[in-house]
Amino acid sequence: MGLSPAELSVVVGEMGEPAFRARQIFTALHRRRLRSFDEMTDLPKELRARLAERATTSTLTVESRYVAEDGTRRYLMKTHDNFPVETVFIPEERRDTICFSSQSGCPLKCDFCLTAKLGLLRTLTAGEIVEQIVIALNDAYGVGAKTPHGTNLVAMGAGEPFLAFEPLMKALGVMADPDGLHIVPNRVTVSTAGIVPRIRELAGVADRPHLAVSLAAPTDELRDVLMPINKKWPLKELLAACKEFELSLKPGERFTFEYVMLDGVNDSDVYARQLANLLNRHQLRAKVNLIPHNPAEPLPYCPSPEERVESFKAILEAKGVQAFVRRPRGRDIYAACGQLAALRTTVQPDLHQPA
Ligand code: SAH
């Protein structure tokens, strides 16, 4: 699933098959979203058997599926070597968003995030990234069925996408192919906790996804505690890299800061003013998404009350910083930001259907 059409050509070439077979297989896997060679009935039976001997079309298996009251679906999958992978399908009126994981677990130790408690288990391959999207679309619409509206992707599941940079970029290339899923980078947002060299690197990439940067605090003192990666790349360096990225944007394009709102921790009016001043000082025009904390045992935080979030937002806006409040999705099934930790939650039996 992680091979480009050109790489597939090499594989079929080595098997003594004509090049057009590569396109056929690529289309079968990515546009028709077939999950086994056996289903590719447009290939000679003998070729299907030879393919099945040397390759696999799918390596992820779905262990559980949870459906939230708001229609959000969380898939708990596992890799061939038994590591958990989580994917979230978020239906919206005019589009769907699929939130995928780039790593099993995560090496960063953000204090408010449940995934952090797993530690890093393993970085996912390009194929495992693409497969997550295929599995979610097949479950939502049926195998190979046309999707009724556009699909947006966010690399905001488990893991730090910029520590999975190569497989991530590889997967995005495969998914952009018009013969396959045809989800172009412009429909993808990659969220980072602030891996500065990769932000700079992405600034130089022409056909690239949108960028979101998780801030969570406007001072090094607080960010060191909430997001220890800040000790390696403190705010000054992070925001300088963000500025460089901003300068590479096309007219009208913007990038996003995410700010998780933790009750009594980072949500005061003083912090709001500091945040606005910080962004203004660095002359950043990025918008800020305020994300109320999604609580989860054993995280020692609570979501900020609504009035607090509104007051915080008003201060940012009064200082010329555009801010939006994000509505949490799928909290009841542990599908929301920062809640992905391979949990087998108990939900109403009729909603919990192993796939
Ligand atoms: N590692 C990447 C992407 C995954 S997290 C990153 O840090 O950006 C996606 C977003 O969810 C981040 O902005 C993160 O700060 C936020 N988040 C993490 N835990 C959360 C929680 N418990 N409640 C709300 N948002 C959370």
Side-chain angles (χ1 to χ4, degrees), residues 1-9 12 19-34 37 40 42-43 51 130 134 170-182:
M1 290 298 287
L3 297 184
S4 66
E7 289 164 329
L8 266 179
S9 299
V12 300
F20 73 90
R21 293 290 183 211
R23 273 284 154 196
Q24 246 180 328
I25 295 167
F26 187 84
T27 304
L29 288 173
H30 299 275
R31 187 197 289 163
R32 298 166 68 200
R33 304 196 302 268
L34 302 180
F37 291 118
M40 302 179 190
D42 52 338
L43 300 179
L51 282 164
V130 178
V134 167
K170 180 87 195 297
L172 295 187
V174 168
M175 293 192 287
D177 198 295
D179 285 343
L181 287 166
H182 202 185

Side-chain angles (χ1 to χ4, degrees), residues 289-329:
N289 277 344
L290 301 171
I291 314 175
H293 182 252
N294 297 306
E297 279 285 338
L299 300 176
Y301 299 102
C302 296
S304 306
E306 218 176 293
E307 321 81 70
R308 190 81 307 275
V309 179
E310 286 306 322
S311 166
F312 198 94
K313 176 176 186 263
I315 291 171
L316 292 181
E317 288 185 328
K319 286 179 167 281
V321 175
Q322 226 186 355
F324 299 87
V325 180
R326 295 297 294 260
R327 195 163 46 98
R329 298 287 306 260

